[in-house]
Amino acid sequence: MAEQIAAMRAELASSPVEVVVANHCYGLFELAAVYLSQQPPLLSQARLAIDALGALVGGLEGRLGEAEEPLRDGLSQLRLAYVQIDGAQRAGAEAASAAGVNGGSIDEPARAEGAGTAEGAGAAEGAGAAEGAGAAEGAGAAGDAGTDAEG
């Protein structure tokens, strides 16, 4: 056991730190995507993972090497997905409330197309594919404020 730990420590010490940190960032990306894809989405859990990823990517700007651009793209994609899912849930809740007030059925609340799914919200299929993230330019403008939308 001690030999295994020593071997892992040696391997870690021989890896560039930006690679190790980027791998942890990809883990946060994956975690957020998992929470967003749950039925129903676990927005408060996803929000923490997205905010943690944002803190690392923003706080280490210029220091994450080749992984920085894909991580920024992935972060923008997650923020966009979060805002879309949150908005769809709110719209569905408002529609259900209005249906109940107007005598409609509240057993099946109205639901926006793609609401509640990471796929319908624009998250990458196979959430670990941050490198292929095609998030809209400016999606990061939702930024941390995008995750503050949850109430």
Side-chain angles (χ1 to χ4, degrees), residues 16-28 53 64 67-68 71:
V17 69
E18 63 269 12
V19 171
V20 176
V21 172
N23 283 337
H24 286 286
C25 289
Y26 285 120
L28 290 170
L53 178 58
L64 291 172
E68 188 164 340
L71 285 169

Side-chain angles (χ1 to χ4, degrees), residues 37-141:
S37 66
Q38 295 301 298
Q39 294 301 321
L42 302 173
L43 292 178
S44 64
Q45 302 296 308
R47 179 174 147 175
L48 178 58
I50 293 167
D51 289 347
L53 178 58
L56 285 172
V57 171
L60 297 173
E61 186 174 350
R63 299 171 61 195
L64 291 172
E66 294 177 4
E68 188 164 340
E69 186 176 342
L71 285 169
R72 269 191 276 116
D73 290 346
L75 178 60
S76 294
Q77 183 179 15
L78 286 171
R79 287 175 170 163
L80 181 61
Y82 178 95
V83 169
Q84 290 176 336
I85 292 170
D86 184 54
Q89 283 187 342
R90 289 174 188 258
E94 288 174 11
S97 176
V101 169
N102 294 327
S105 171
I106 59 172
D107 292 336
E108 294 185 26
R111 198 168 167 176
E113 186 175 328
T117 64
E119 292 82 7
E125 191 170 310
E131 294 83 359
E137 183 80 27

